[in-house]
Amino acid sequence: MSPRAAWRLETLGFTRVHDYVAGKADWGSFGRPLEGQRDSNTRVGAHLQTDVPTCTPDESLQDGCERVRTAGFDTCFVVNDRRIVLGRLGRAALASDDDPTVEAVMTAGPSTVRPSLDLSAAIERMRNQNLTNLPVTRSDGVLLGLIRRDVAEHALDRAS
Amino acid sequence: MPTPIDRDELQRLLRDEQAQLVEVLPPDEYEDEHLPGAINIPLKTLDRETTRRLDRERPVIVYCYDTQ
């Protein structure tokens, strides 16, 4: 729609017309603020937990486990040096006494959500996939944090 | 010819060139949520009259929901 609007403006004589083609979906997916009647407290981004432990694919599992235990988490996201989410270490991997590389035991390509997603949609996805949390990423895959199911449910209860 | 831009360029145009942001979606979608500072001129109503409030000397940035 915006390309047609941009061309329409040109036909109306405007000479400095730009088209933000990715639109407000892109804006919201990067956690940028939006204005309007929609309550931002019912979005994932408002309830994001950012201090989540991460590990890299090439480090040893036990090094990663130690960091996760210290942080008090039961999951760990595997990221590269740009903080792009590559995988996830779940409870089974974190409970293991073996010490392979993280890459050998991670679940690759975990489901992620954007900060602009409605809490209700995030909760539904976690329920359907039997998850207690989901990683939250920007649209370019960079990890922002996680959304916990209990936090999301509580927030939605308060908002309704 | 309209210039496609990304988020970084949008922010630069707003900051450095006082660009004008125009959401071209219908009013209910604009009222629901829009970029800070954006005005609403739905595509179906874009004409000489509705664009009269835009400054022709400054850049105009249009956007909708996504690339669809």
Side-chain angles (χ1 to χ4, degrees):
Chain A
M1 183 182 286
S2 62
R4 285 183 287 152
W7 280 110
R8 176 72 176 128
L9 283 172
E10 290 245 329
T11 64
L12 292 169
F14 287 85
T15 57
R16 302 179 67 193
V17 181
H18 303 267
D19 180 7
Y20 177 33
V21 287
K24 60 183 174 185
D26 173 73
W27 186 263
S29 79
F30 271 72
R32 298 281 193 267
L34 289 162
E35 297 177 345
Q37 295 175 346
R38 196 169 164 195
D39 185 357
S40 61
N41 274 325
T42 61
R43 295 174 195 279
V44 164
H47 306 280
L48 196 60
Q49 186 168 356
T50 57
D51 57 341
V52 294
T54 60
C55 56
T56 57
D58 57 347
E59 72 178 302
S60 81
L61 176 63
Q62 292 309 317
D63 285 351
C65 288
E66 178 59 29
R67 196 156 55 250
V68 173
R69 278 192 287 270
T70 301
F73 279 77
D74 61 0
T75 191
C76 182
F77 299 112
V78 184
V79 298
N80 67 9
D81 58 356
R82 293 187 174 195
R83 212 170 156 76
I84 306 288
V85 175
L86 304 174
R88 177 178 186 143
L89 293 177
R91 290 194 193 96
L94 291 168
S96 171
D97 292 327
D98 298 334
D99 197 19
T101 62
V102 164
E103 186 173 22
V105 293
M106 73 180 189
T107 301
S111 177
T112 65
V113 295
R114 304 281 178 270
S116 54
L117 185 70
D118 277 331
L119 280 177
S120 57
I123 291 167
E124 184 179 358
R125 190 179 299 187
M126 286 188 270
R127 285 175 179 163
N128 290 342
Q129 298 180 18
N130 197 26
L131 294 170
T132 56
N133 58 63
L134 276 170
V136 182
T137 66
R138 304 189 319 202
S139 56
D140 60 359
V142 170
L143 179 67
L144 295 172
L146 67 76
I147 179 75
R148 284 174 36 178
R149 185 164 137 187
D150 59 341
V151 169
E153 289 172 337
H154 184 60
L156 202 57
D157 282 347
R158 277 185 305 174
S160 59
Chain B
M1 185 175 182
T3 309
I5 59 169
D6 61 13
R7 189 179 50 261
D8 291 339
E9 178 63 2
L10 179 145
Q11 291 178 291
R12 190 198 68 75
L13 285 166
L14 291 175
R15 183 184 62 243
D16 298 343
E17 301 190 39
Q18 291 74 53
Q20 305 157 95
L21 260 180
V22 180
E23 179 168 318
V24 297
L25 291 165
D28 58 334
E29 294 187 46
Y30 169 82
E31 286 162 14
D32 191 33
E33 58 182 6
H34 53 266
L35 269 63
I39 64 169
N40 183 215
I41 309 179
L43 174 62
K44 290 178 185 296
T45 69
L46 264 181
D47 57 25
R48 293 191 190 282
E49 183 58 36
T50 57
T51 57
R52 198 179 297 277
R53 57 180 156 157
L54 294 174
D55 181 350
R56 289 173 180 267
E57 302 302 313
R58 290 157 52 202
V60 179
I61 304 169
V62 294
Y63 72 90
C64 54
Y65 187 73
D66 57 19
T67 55
Q68 299 298 308

